[in-house]
Amino acid sequence: MSLKIADKTFNSRLFTGTGKFSSASLMEESLLVSGSELVTVALKRVDLKGQDDDILSHLLHPQFNLLPNTSGVRTAREAVFAAQLAREALETNWLKLEIHPDPKYLLPDPIESLKAAEELAKLGFIVLPYIHADPVLCKRLEDAGVAAVMPLGSPIGSNKGLKTIDFLEIIIEQSKVPVVIDAGIGAPSDAAKAMEIGADAVLVNTAIAVSQNPVAMAMAFKMAVEAGRMAFEAKLAQPSRQAVASSPLTEFLNN
Amino acid sequence: MSLKIADKTFNSRLFTGTGKFSSASLMEESLLVSGSELVTVALKRVDLKGQDDDILSHLLHPQFNLLPNTSGVRTAREAVFAAQLAREALETNWLKLEIHPDPKYLLPDPIESLKAAEELAKLGFIVLPYIHADPVLCKRLEDAGVAAVMPLGSPIGSNKGLKTIDFLEIIIEQSKVPVVIDAGIGAPSDAAKAMEIGADAVLVNTAIAVSQNPVAMAMAFKMAVEAGRMAFEAKLAQPSRQAVASSPLTEFLNN
Amino acid sequence: MSLKIADKTFNSRLFTGTGKFSSASLMEESLLVSGSELVTVALKRVDLKGQDDDILSHLLHPQFNLLPNTSGVRTAREAVFAAQLAREALETNWLKLEIHPDPKYLLPDPIESLKAAEELAKLGFIVLPYIHADPVLCKRLEDAGVAAVMPLGSPIGSNKGLKTIDFLEIIIEQSKVPVVIDAGIGAPSDAAKAMEIGADAVLVNTAIAVSQNPVAMAMAFKMAVEAGRMAFEAKLAQPSRQAVASSPLTEFLNN
Amino acid sequence: MSLKIADKTFNSRLFTGTGKFSSASLMEESLLVSGSELVTVALKRVDLKGQDDDILSHLLHPQFNLLPNTSGVRTAREAVFAAQLAREALETNWLKLEIHPDPKYLLPDPIESLKAAEELAKLGFIVLPYIHADPVLCKRLEDAGVAAVMPLGSPIGSNKGLKTIDFLEIIIEQSKVPVVIDAGIGAPSDAAKAMEIGADAVLVNTAIAVSQNPVAMAMAFKMAVEAGRMAFEAKLAQPSRQAVASSPLTEFLNN
């Protein structure tokens, strides 16, 4: 039941982000409660000069593996540069590749993402690209050597859930690398649904961070992800048009 | 965080049904694992003559409160008669009122349901009517003295989820008695969603009973219901059109 | 292809309402363009004393049949009284029965609606009740002698479209009287969809009246209703999971 | 109200395809009735040697502009070769660029599509690429000089409608070239909806060709597209949560 990406094994299928929390200590507590073992952090938020390295100091738990992301870059070239900085600063070759030239919707660039993925894979990075829910692009990234694909459920921060579900199902059917659904997951029910359709993991940030009670919400997501995975493994019944009564019609009145 | 209906307090917000399991012992194990404290059973399936009372013998756990249902009746008159039989046989005045004249979709009759609810309330029953997700009908049943309302999410056994969500939200907003969403909940994500919008409980039967692994599925529903409730209490963020990045745009490349 | 309700035959399957237009002359022009042959009007808006009967004077076209509605009544008793006033004032025994005790969502009362329908049918009215999309209630109204049923697509004025589609399909499958979808139709595409699933007609008001250009919008709805009906009769293909190319794969490159 | 793409002006916003019709004459009649002025044809189906050029002989009407497509190619290189063949055979530099390496779902390849679009634009082609509903890719294609973008609504031939609507809305908001929604449009209501959200045109093939009555269905799509466009121009009201009655509450009962 555990998940393997590259050389690491994860017991938790809930990956998390570190943005938007009202304080670093609230972030720390929430992420600990979430059970998350892979935590993404924007390179910008890491103090590259080593002073006041606030956010990192809150992530120094054996539970957490860091997944630096390239949020803010706009081209493959910038992404590769950022990845190298991140590797040096954080001493990990894991990388969440994010290239979004559009400042309004922060949607990823398929062309630059593939180009960067190819180069980063050659440079020895474990690349997890954040991309559109495009099944053909996912296969091309797989061929380029990424460790997992991270298609979006809906625009980042929109909390709209799995709007791309018809395409996510195709990606899951076809992918040989793990599929992590990223962006748009706004509620535990969305996370459960993602797992029910067979996703390998989800990445959640906004929905936990901006909740009125991030620690409780982190726990809710943890349970929902586990519930969804359990249901996937136990196999759900398919929707059907005609109702079939749970309680067979009785005839006792005629007896 | 516990739920009160009439004079009983429930720690679990997952109500369950007993139909369609492949064996009584599998039913017993699944329901125990689900944590459910209210279990509905069709009167027909109870051996009123006391012999071979198979199904009941599997429900003799302190965890379970029985909720006999009137599945199979077609009129208020039949429902009242069945309710009285059930009270005598099962020694409980709790009743899930189900009146569905339509053998194909098993949808409930609003007119007969209200009539029966009025009479049964006067006769001292704790009535939980299974009804369409009709906000006005729910208020009328509340006025008639029901202990809770049980609007449907979609047709029984359809596993289609919360198709009536726009009306469930109105019911939840207006109801002074607990709202239990019944019928159509096909996956843990549906149950979580029901709780996230503020339902007081859900009733699940088919989705657990017909799973390839009902015990695991029962556990999945238990966790999903708890996750959804926790998220409701911690307050979810609202969906928004424009994306807002979890990871603020970095400027490190310009530094 | 024409529609028959009671003794009248309609060439247009677009029924319309008269509320919310910015002026009576704009209403008149829009409804003429819509091709609508059945126009509902709230009794309140008709000057029962015969002076300044503004709205009616704009509806004096042979194209229009009037369908007075009982909007504003809260009980069957009030509805019957209003119906009799309407019959006298407007010299028609056609009636759109609307009973909505809830001032916020204006959802219809199933119990009072059935009671009023029974009585009005006995009094010789041609009754078209506005009701929830409740298949069992629709059958009971049919038994009570209504001329058509008017289930809602979503709450009045919400413009949310066919949220009740799963139940509308059952109603259409089972009904022996025409099914007119009322309330919630916010766009021509909604009206087309209603016709595609086999509804006999739709009633549209808000979406036309509050448009920036009601006359153009009336024409758009007219065309959409005709398009949807035509598609229903020509039979649509069913959705399928696997793609099937419109353009067969070519082999010319290998030639 | 007319649409301009490159140097051509279209009065009809319904583009059509030629696959799957049961006969060429039925195709001809349907397309004439549809009013379509741009008709796509797979290069493979054109007899490049000039004999028995059945399909083309049915498209020799002044109403039709031909849009050869590259269906069946798997790479940019193949696409450019096919485009050149098509230009020579059909004497047009218009081209629907389709590159789909996946034989099951026929989803387009973003990388090869951009590469081919860049090269074809340089070669003087009027390129209309069929692509995923990926807003960033659409902008890159626009920069590469395409004449329009053709994002998919759902997988080809699936008849599932506008599953990608959240992304189509972003594409429409951002695009400087016309947006033509292609693939998945299974019913006139889908086509109307596409126009209502501001698409410039739709391309329909399967839904017309496989209908029991393609000629009637072609007419239905024609009307639905016109209705949707008219509604877009007349501005639709927005969905709202709370109902607002079309018929103001009456007070006549109190008079």
Side-chain angles (χ1 to χ4, degrees):
Chain A
M1 189 158 160
S2 64
L3 166 66
K4 195 161 185 208
I5 299 179
D7 57 332
K8 276 188 191 145
T9 301
F10 299 91
N11 291 308
S12 165
R13 292 169 181 274
L14 174 59
F15 299 166
T16 49
T18 53
K20 294 190 189 174
F21 284 91
S22 58
S23 78
S25 60
L26 193 57
M27 176 199 79
E28 181 178 13
E29 190 186 357
S30 301
L31 299 186
L32 282 170
V33 161
S34 78
S36 184
E37 297 165 353
L38 193 64
V39 176
T40 189
V41 58
L43 186 53
K44 169 58 164 58
R45 303 188 63 206
V46 176
D47 183 337
L48 296 176
K49 300 185 192 70
Q51 319 138 302
D52 305 324
D53 202 340
D54 193 44
I55 205 170
L56 284 191
S57 70
H58 288 269
L59 296 173
L60 295 174
H61 295 271
Q63 174 185 324
F64 299 140
N65 292 284
L66 291 189
L67 180 65
N69 69 57
T70 62
S71 182
V73 308
R74 302 167 62 96
T75 64
R77 205 170 142 273
E78 289 179 1
V80 171
F81 178 58
Q84 286 165 325
L85 283 182
R87 177 155 64 178
E88 203 170 316
L90 300 177
E91 297 178 338
T92 174
N93 59 352
W94 284 57
L95 187 80
K96 183 180 175 205
L97 176 63
E98 292 187 45
I99 306 182
H100 27 58
D102 171 3
K104 182 164 179 195
Y105 295 108
L106 296 171
L107 293 167
D109 184 318
I111 312 296
E112 298 298 313
S113 297
L114 179 62
K115 202 186 300 177
E118 285 167 346
E119 189 164 342
L120 290 166
K122 281 180 202 148
L123 293 170
F125 284 89
I126 308 295
V127 185
L128 294 85
Y130 160 63
I131 42 164
H132 205 81
D134 177 334
V136 177
L137 179 62
C138 286
K139 291 306 282 181
R140 295 202 60 149
L141 285 160
E142 184 185 307
D143 293 342
V146 302
V149 287
M150 304 187 76
L152 56 82
S154 40
I156 294 185
S158 73
N159 292 321
K160 283 189 170 183
L162 305 185
K163 292 291 187 181
T164 57
I165 188 165
D166 290 82
F167 300 95
L168 294 174
E169 289 177 338
I170 296 173
I171 292 169
I172 290 167
E173 176 189 322
Q174 298 183 332
S175 187
K176 288 181 189 137
V177 295
V179 178
V180 182
I181 300 179
D182 186 12
I185 293 183
S189 57
D190 295 332
K193 180 84 181 169
M195 302 312 292
E196 287 164 6
I197 66 170
D200 294 283
V202 293
L203 194 153
V204 180
N205 185 344
T206 302
I208 294 173
V210 307
S211 162
Q212 287 190 12
N213 185 343
V215 176
M217 195 59 83
M219 174 59 79
F221 270 98
K222 175 192 193 325
M223 292 167 68
V225 167
E226 291 174 9
R229 181 66 190 182
M230 209 174 282
F232 171 72
E233 293 182 351
K235 297 266 188 300
L236 287 162
Q238 289 305 301
S240 70
R241 172 96 202 279
Q242 183 161 342
V244 184
S246 301
S247 315
L249 291 178
T250 75
E251 285 145 26
F252 62 88
L253 293 167
N254 309 320
N255 291 348
Chain B
M1 189 160 160
S2 63
L3 166 65
K4 195 161 184 206
I5 299 180
D7 57 331
K8 276 188 192 144
T9 301
F10 298 92
N11 291 308
S12 165
R13 291 169 182 273
L14 173 58
F15 299 166
T16 50
T18 54
K20 296 191 189 173
F21 284 90
S22 59
S23 78
S25 61
L26 193 58
M27 176 198 80
E28 182 178 13
E29 191 186 356
S30 301
L31 299 186
L32 282 171
V33 161
S34 77
S36 184
E37 297 165 354
L38 193 64
V39 176
T40 188
V41 57
L43 187 53
K44 170 57 165 57
R45 303 188 63 207
V46 176
D47 184 336
L48 296 176
K49 300 185 190 71
Q51 318 138 302
D52 305 324
D53 202 341
D54 193 44
I55 204 169
L56 283 192
S57 70
H58 288 270
L59 297 172
L60 295 174
H61 294 272
Q63 173 184 325
F64 300 141
N65 294 282
L66 292 189
L67 180 65
N69 69 56
T70 61
S71 182
V73 308
R74 301 168 64 94
T75 63
R77 206 172 141 271
E78 289 179 2
V80 171
F81 178 58
Q84 287 165 326
L85 282 182
R87 177 154 65 177
E88 203 170 314
L90 300 177
E91 297 178 337
T92 175
N93 59 353
W94 283 57
L95 186 80
K96 183 180 174 203
L97 177 63
E98 291 187 46
I99 306 182
H100 28 57
D102 170 3
K104 182 165 179 195
Y105 295 108
L106 296 171
L107 293 167
D109 185 318
I111 312 296
E112 299 297 314
S113 296
L114 179 61
K115 204 188 297 179
E118 285 168 345
E119 190 166 342
L120 289 166
K122 282 181 200 146
L123 292 170
F125 284 89
I126 307 296
V127 185
L128 294 84
Y130 161 63
I131 42 164
H132 205 80
D134 176 336
V136 178
L137 180 60
C138 286
K139 291 307 282 180
R140 295 203 59 151
L141 286 160
E142 184 184 308
D143 293 342
V146 302
V149 288
M150 303 186 77
L152 56 81
S154 41
I156 294 185
S158 73
N159 292 323
K160 283 188 170 183
L162 305 185
K163 292 292 187 179
T164 57
I165 188 165
D166 291 82
F167 300 95
L168 294 173
E169 289 178 337
I170 296 173
I171 292 169
I172 289 166
E173 176 188 324
Q174 298 182 334
S175 187
K176 288 181 189 137
V177 294
V179 178
V180 183
I181 300 179
D182 186 13
I185 292 182
S189 58
D190 296 331
K193 180 83 179 170
M195 302 312 292
E196 287 164 5
I197 65 170
D200 293 283
V202 294
L203 194 152
V204 180
N205 185 345
T206 302
I208 294 173
V210 308
S211 162
Q212 287 189 13
N213 184 343
V215 176
M217 195 59 82
M219 174 58 80
F221 270 98
K222 176 191 192 325
M223 291 166 69
V225 166
E226 291 174 8
R229 180 67 189 181
M230 209 175 283
F232 171 71
E233 293 182 352
K235 298 263 188 303
L236 288 161
Q238 290 304 302
S240 70
R241 173 99 202 278
Q242 182 161 342
V244 183
S246 301
S247 315
L249 292 178
T250 75
E251 284 145 28
F252 63 89
L253 293 167
N254 309 319
N255 291 348
Chain C
M1 191 159 160
S2 64
L3 166 65
K4 195 161 184 207
I5 298 179
D7 57 333
K8 274 186 192 147
T9 301
F10 298 92
N11 291 308
S12 165
R13 291 168 182 274
L14 173 58
F15 300 166
T16 50
T18 53
K20 293 190 190 174
F21 285 90
S22 59
S23 78
S25 61
L26 192 58
M27 176 199 81
E28 181 178 13
E29 191 186 356
S30 301
L31 299 186
L32 282 171
V33 161
S34 77
S36 184
E37 296 165 352
L38 194 64
V39 176
T40 189
V41 58
L43 186 53
K44 170 57 163 58
R45 302 188 65 207
V46 175
D47 183 338
L48 295 176
K49 299 184 192 71
Q51 317 140 302
D52 305 324
D53 203 341
D54 193 44
I55 204 169
L56 283 192
S57 70
H58 288 269
L59 296 172
L60 295 174
H61 294 272
Q63 173 185 324
F64 299 140
N65 293 283
L66 292 189
L67 180 65
N69 69 57
T70 61
S71 182
V73 308
R74 301 168 63 96
T75 63
R77 204 170 142 271
E78 289 179 1
V80 171
F81 178 58
Q84 287 165 325
L85 282 183
R87 177 154 65 178
E88 203 170 316
L90 300 177
E91 297 178 337
T92 175
N93 59 352
W94 283 57
L95 187 79
K96 183 180 174 204
L97 176 62
E98 291 187 45
I99 307 183
H100 27 58
D102 170 3
K104 183 165 178 195
Y105 295 109
L106 296 171
L107 293 167
D109 184 318
I111 312 296
E112 298 298 314
S113 296
L114 179 61
K115 202 187 300 179
E118 285 168 345
E119 189 164 342
L120 289 166
K122 281 182 202 146
L123 292 170
F125 284 89
I126 307 296
V127 185
L128 294 84
Y130 161 63
I131 43 164
H132 206 81
D134 176 335
V136 178
L137 180 61
C138 285
K139 292 307 282 181
R140 294 203 60 148
L141 286 160
E142 184 184 308
D143 293 343
V146 302
V149 287
M150 304 186 77
L152 56 81
S154 41
I156 294 186
S158 73
N159 291 324
K160 283 188 169 183
L162 304 185
K163 292 291 187 181
T164 57
I165 188 165
D166 291 81
F167 300 95
L168 294 174
E169 289 177 338
I170 296 174
I171 292 169
I172 290 166
E173 176 189 323
Q174 298 184 332
S175 186
K176 288 181 189 136
V177 294
V179 177
V180 182
I181 300 179
D182 186 13
I185 292 182
S189 57
D190 296 331
K193 180 82 180 170
M195 303 312 293
E196 287 164 5
I197 66 170
D200 294 283
V202 293
L203 194 153
V204 179
N205 185 344
T206 302
I208 294 173
V210 308
S211 162
Q212 288 189 12
N213 185 343
V215 175
M217 195 59 82
M219 174 59 79
F221 270 98
K222 175 191 193 323
M223 292 167 69
V225 167
E226 291 174 8
R229 180 68 189 181
M230 210 174 282
F232 171 72
E233 293 183 351
K235 298 263 187 304
L236 287 163
Q238 289 305 303
S240 70
R241 173 99 201 280
Q242 183 160 343
V244 184
S246 301
S247 315
L249 292 177
T250 77
E251 284 145 27
F252 63 88
L253 293 167
N254 309 320
N255 290 350
Chain D
M1 189 157 161
S2 63
L3 167 66
K4 196 162 185 207
I5 299 180
D7 57 332
K8 274 187 193 146
T9 301
F10 298 92
N11 291 308
S12 165
R13 291 169 182 273
L14 173 59
F15 299 166
T16 50
T18 53
K20 295 192 188 173
F21 284 90
S22 57
S23 78
S25 61
L26 192 58
M27 175 199 81
E28 181 179 12
E29 191 186 357
S30 301
L31 298 186
L32 282 171
V33 160
S34 77
S36 185
E37 297 166 352
L38 193 65
V39 176
T40 188
V41 58
L43 187 53
K44 169 59 163 60
R45 303 189 62 207
V46 175
D47 183 338
L48 296 175
K49 300 184 192 72
Q51 317 139 303
D52 305 324
D53 203 340
D54 193 43
I55 204 169
L56 283 192
S57 70
H58 288 269
L59 297 172
L60 295 173
H61 293 272
Q63 173 184 325
F64 300 141
N65 293 282
L66 291 189
L67 180 65
N69 69 57
T70 62
S71 182
V73 308
R74 301 167 64 94
T75 63
R77 206 171 141 271
E78 289 179 2
V80 171
F81 178 58
Q84 287 164 325
L85 282 182
R87 177 155 64 178
E88 202 170 317
L90 299 177
E91 297 177 335
T92 176
N93 59 352
W94 283 58
L95 186 81
K96 183 180 174 203
L97 176 63
E98 292 187 45
I99 306 182
H100 28 57
D102 169 4
K104 182 164 179 196
Y105 295 108
L106 295 171
L107 293 167
D109 184 317
I111 312 296
E112 298 298 313
S113 296
L114 179 61
K115 203 187 299 178
E118 285 167 346
E119 189 165 342
L120 289 165
K122 282 181 201 146
L123 292 170
F125 284 90
I126 307 296
V127 185
L128 293 85
Y130 161 63
I131 42 163
H132 205 81
D134 176 333
V136 178
L137 180 61
C138 285
K139 291 306 283 181
R140 295 203 60 149
L141 286 160
E142 183 184 307
D143 293 343
V146 301
V149 288
M150 303 186 76
L152 55 81
S154 41
I156 293 186
S158 72
N159 291 323
K160 283 188 169 183
L162 305 185
K163 292 291 187 180
T164 57
I165 188 164
D166 291 83
F167 301 95
L168 294 174
E169 288 177 338
I170 296 173
I171 292 169
I172 290 167
E173 176 188 323
Q174 298 183 332
S175 187
K176 286 181 190 138
V177 295
V179 177
V180 182
I181 300 179
D182 186 13
I185 292 182
S189 57
D190 296 332
K193 180 83 180 170
M195 302 312 292
E196 287 164 5
I197 65 170
D200 294 283
V202 292
L203 193 152
V204 180
N205 185 344
T206 302
I208 294 173
V210 308
S211 164
Q212 287 188 12
N213 185 343
V215 176
M217 195 60 82
M219 174 59 78
F221 270 98
K222 175 191 190 332
M223 291 166 69
V225 167
E226 291 174 8
R229 180 67 189 182
M230 209 174 284
F232 171 71
E233 293 182 352
K235 298 264 188 301
L236 287 161
Q238 288 305 301
S240 70
R241 172 96 203 278
Q242 182 161 341
V244 183
S246 301
S247 314
L249 291 177
T250 75
E251 285 146 26
F252 62 89
L253 293 168
N254 309 321
N255 290 349

mmCIF file of all heavy atoms in Angstrom, chain B residues 57-73:
data_model
loop_
_atom_site.group_PDB
_atom_site.id
_atom_site.type_symbol
_atom_site.label_atom_id
_atom_site.label_comp_id
_atom_site.label_asym_id
_atom_site.label_seq_id
_atom_site.Cartn_x
_atom_site.Cartn_y
_atom_site.Cartn_z
ATOM 1 N N SER B 57 -29.640 -11.516 15.056
ATOM 2 C CA SER B 57 -28.621 -12.092 15.937
ATOM 3 C C SER B 57 -27.236 -11.514 15.645
ATOM 4 O O SER B 57 -26.354 -11.509 16.493
ATOM 5 C CB SER B 57 -28.590 -13.617 15.786
ATOM 6 O OG SER B 57 -28.060 -13.961 14.517
ATOM 7 N N HIS B 58 -27.080 -11.001 14.442
ATOM 8 C CA HIS B 58 -25.794 -10.390 14.081
ATOM 9 C C HIS B 58 -25.720 -8.913 14.459
ATOM 10 O O HIS B 58 -24.706 -8.273 14.244
ATOM 11 C CB HIS B 58 -25.542 -10.551 12.574
ATOM 12 C CG HIS B 58 -25.207 -11.957 12.193
ATOM 13 N ND1 HIS B 58 -23.929 -12.432 12.160
ATOM 14 C CD2 HIS B 58 -26.003 -13.006 11.884
ATOM 15 C CE1 HIS B 58 -23.936 -13.703 11.809
ATOM 16 N NE2 HIS B 58 -25.190 -14.084 11.635
ATOM 17 N N LEU B 59 -26.810 -8.414 14.959
ATOM 18 C CA LEU B 59 -26.825 -6.982 15.295
ATOM 19 C C LEU B 59 -26.912 -6.757 16.803
ATOM 20 O O LEU B 59 -27.155 -5.657 17.272
ATOM 21 C CB LEU B 59 -27.999 -6.291 14.579
ATOM 22 C CG LEU B 59 -27.916 -6.317 13.042
ATOM 23 C CD1 LEU B 59 -29.202 -5.788 12.426
ATOM 24 C CD2 LEU B 59 -26.725 -5.490 12.555
ATOM 25 N N LEU B 60 -26.706 -7.838 17.553
ATOM 26 C CA LEU B 60 -26.817 -7.745 19.018
ATOM 27 C C LEU B 60 -25.517 -7.242 19.635
ATOM 28 O O LEU B 60 -24.843 -7.964 20.371
ATOM 29 C CB LEU B 60 -27.167 -9.115 19.597
ATOM 30 C CG LEU B 60 -28.535 -9.668 19.201
ATOM 31 C CD1 LEU B 60 -28.707 -11.084 19.722
ATOM 32 C CD2 LEU B 60 -29.621 -8.753 19.756
ATOM 33 N N HIS B 61 -25.145 -6.027 19.304
ATOM 34 C CA HIS B 61 -23.951 -5.425 19.877
ATOM 35 C C HIS B 61 -24.373 -4.118 20.527
ATOM 36 O O HIS B 61 -25.200 -3.394 19.959
ATOM 37 C CB HIS B 61 -22.912 -5.149 18.793
ATOM 38 C CG HIS B 61 -22.355 -6.391 18.170
ATOM 39 N ND1 HIS B 61 -21.275 -7.061 18.669
ATOM 40 C CD2 HIS B 61 -22.773 -7.100 17.092
ATOM 41 C CE1 HIS B 61 -21.021 -8.119 17.926
ATOM 42 N NE2 HIS B 61 -21.917 -8.174 16.958
ATOM 43 N N PRO B 62 -23.796 -3.800 21.653
ATOM 44 C CA PRO B 62 -24.189 -2.543 22.308
ATOM 45 C C PRO B 62 -23.956 -1.335 21.406
ATOM 46 O O PRO B 62 -24.622 -0.313 21.544
ATOM 47 C CB PRO B 62 -23.290 -2.482 23.552
ATOM 48 C CG PRO B 62 -22.429 -3.691 23.539
ATOM 49 C CD PRO B 62 -22.799 -4.568 22.402
ATOM 50 N N GLN B 63 -23.012 -1.459 20.472
ATOM 51 C CA GLN B 63 -22.735 -0.343 19.558
ATOM 52 C C GLN B 63 -23.949 0.043 18.712
ATOM 53 O O GLN B 63 -24.125 1.215 18.368
ATOM 54 C CB GLN B 63 -21.571 -0.756 18.640
ATOM 55 C CG GLN B 63 -21.241 0.225 17.513
ATOM 56 C CD GLN B 63 -20.137 -0.324 16.606
ATOM 57 O OE1 GLN B 63 -19.206 -1.013 17.045
ATOM 58 N NE2 GLN B 63 -20.223 -0.026 15.324
ATOM 59 N N PHE B 64 -24.762 -0.940 18.386
ATOM 60 C CA PHE B 64 -25.831 -0.710 17.414
ATOM 61 C C PHE B 64 -27.168 -0.333 18.046
ATOM 62 O O PHE B 64 -27.661 -1.033 18.930
ATOM 63 C CB PHE B 64 -26.065 -1.969 16.570
ATOM 64 C CG PHE B 64 -24.881 -2.437 15.784
ATOM 65 C CD1 PHE B 64 -24.599 -3.797 15.663
ATOM 66 C CD2 PHE B 64 -24.028 -1.541 15.141
ATOM 67 C CE1 PHE B 64 -23.511 -4.245 14.933
ATOM 68 C CE2 PHE B 64 -22.933 -1.983 14.404
ATOM 69 C CZ PHE B 64 -22.669 -3.344 14.301
ATOM 70 N N ASN B 65 -27.755 0.740 17.549
ATOM 71 C CA ASN B 65 -29.172 0.989 17.774
ATOM 72 C C ASN B 65 -29.893 0.592 16.501
ATOM 73 O O ASN B 65 -29.441 0.943 15.401
ATOM 74 C CB ASN B 65 -29.425 2.467 18.046
ATOM 75 C CG ASN B 65 -28.802 2.909 19.350
ATOM 76 O OD1 ASN B 65 -29.341 2.648 20.416
ATOM 77 N ND2 ASN B 65 -27.643 3.567 19.262
ATOM 78 N N LEU B 66 -30.994 -0.099 16.651
ATOM 79 C CA LEU B 66 -31.721 -0.532 15.456
ATOM 80 C C LEU B 66 -32.689 0.555 14.990
ATOM 81 O O LEU B 66 -33.335 1.221 15.789
ATOM 82 C CB LEU B 66 -32.507 -1.808 15.746
ATOM 83 C CG LEU B 66 -31.668 -3.058 15.989
ATOM 84 C CD1 LEU B 66 -32.574 -4.287 16.039
ATOM 85 C CD2 LEU B 66 -30.618 -3.244 14.890
ATOM 86 N N LEU B 67 -32.761 0.683 13.697
ATOM 87 C CA LEU B 67 -33.696 1.618 13.080
ATOM 88 C C LEU B 67 -34.521 0.836 12.063
ATOM 89 O O LEU B 67 -34.154 0.743 10.889
ATOM 90 C CB LEU B 67 -32.929 2.758 12.391
ATOM 91 C CG LEU B 67 -33.752 3.830 11.689
ATOM 92 C CD1 LEU B 67 -34.598 4.618 12.687
ATOM 93 C CD2 LEU B 67 -32.862 4.774 10.894
ATOM 94 N N PRO B 68 -35.621 0.229 12.502
ATOM 95 C CA PRO B 68 -36.429 -0.537 11.555
ATOM 96 C C PRO B 68 -36.965 0.380 10.457
ATOM 97 O O PRO B 68 -37.285 1.541 10.729
ATOM 98 C CB PRO B 68 -37.579 -1.084 12.413
ATOM 99 C CG PRO B 68 -37.542 -0.335 13.688
ATOM 100 C CD PRO B 68 -36.172 0.215 13.866
ATOM 101 N N ASN B 69 -37.013 -0.122 9.235
ATOM 102 C CA ASN B 69 -37.588 0.708 8.169
ATOM 103 C C ASN B 69 -38.797 0.012 7.552
ATOM 104 O O ASN B 69 -38.958 -1.200 7.655
ATOM 105 C CB ASN B 69 -36.539 1.082 7.126
ATOM 106 C CG ASN B 69 -36.087 -0.102 6.295
ATOM 107 O OD1 ASN B 69 -36.885 -0.778 5.668
ATOM 108 N ND2 ASN B 69 -34.770 -0.352 6.290
ATOM 109 N N THR B 70 -39.597 0.824 6.902
ATOM 110 C CA THR B 70 -40.863 0.326 6.364
ATOM 111 C C THR B 70 -40.752 0.027 4.875
ATOM 112 O O THR B 70 -41.758 0.043 4.148
ATOM 113 C CB THR B 70 -41.973 1.373 6.589
ATOM 114 O OG1 THR B 70 -41.601 2.562 5.897
ATOM 115 C CG2 THR B 70 -42.171 1.668 8.063
ATOM 116 N N SER B 71 -39.551 -0.244 4.422
ATOM 117 C CA SER B 71 -39.342 -0.506 3.003
ATOM 118 C C SER B 71 -40.351 -1.537 2.499
ATOM 119 O O SER B 71 -40.521 -2.600 3.096
ATOM 120 C CB SER B 71 -37.922 -1.027 2.801
ATOM 121 O OG SER B 71 -37.679 -1.233 1.439
ATOM 122 N N GLY B 72 -41.001 -1.219 1.398
ATOM 123 C CA GLY B 72 -41.972 -2.136 0.822
ATOM 124 C C GLY B 72 -43.397 -1.645 0.950
ATOM 125 O O GLY B 72 -44.267 -2.093 0.198
ATOM 126 N N VAL B 73 -43.642 -0.717 1.847
ATOM 127 C CA VAL B 73 -45.016 -0.221 1.965
ATOM 128 C C VAL B 73 -45.263 0.844 0.898
ATOM 129 O O VAL B 73 -44.336 1.491 0.421
ATOM 130 C CB VAL B 73 -45.319 0.359 3.369
ATOM 131 C CG1 VAL B 73 -44.947 -0.645 4.452
ATOM 132 C CG2 VAL B 73 -44.622 1.687 3.582
#
